[in-house]
Amino acid sequence: PGAFPNYEVEFVDARGGIVRKISGLRPTGDDGALSFQLNRSGFSSGKYKLRLFGRQGKTMSQLEEHELLVTVR
């Protein structure tokens, strides 16, 4: 992070549906880290993808994608 003024994170379920979207993220600190809080409500056990986008104006670029495994007890 750091190349864009704003970032967005999407959590996508195994069917490709967006479960949660967090936008307006801005890098903080000396290392330019992105930080956000996530409430687990709305997530059930299963595989998800976390997609990170950089946003500049109306242009969005996907930067990374990571697989997550959620286990609800």
Side-chain angles (χ1 to χ4, degrees):
F4 292 87
N6 291 292
Y7 292 85
E8 186 169 294
V9 173
E10 288 181 350
F11 293 88
V12 180
D13 64 18
R15 295 175 295 183
I18 297 172
V19 176
R20 185 81 39 84
K21 185 183 286 191
I22 303 170
S23 50
L25 298 172
R26 294 179 176 224
T28 59
D30 293 337
D31 61 356
L34 297 175
S35 179
F36 58 90
Q37 291 184 351
L38 182 64
N39 188 324
R40 65 181 177 172
S41 67
F43 288 91
S44 56
S45 293
K47 292 182 179 181
Y48 295 85
K49 290 183 181 177
L50 179 153
R51 295 180 180 156
L52 174 65
F53 296 88
R55 179 182 286 274
Q56 184 142 15
K58 294 182 180 182
T59 304
M60 240 173 59
S61 301
Q62 184 172 336
L63 305 175
E64 295 183 26
E65 182 173 292
H66 301 276
E67 290 191 10
L68 304 173
L69 180 61
V70 174
T71 303
V72 177
R73 299 180 186 179

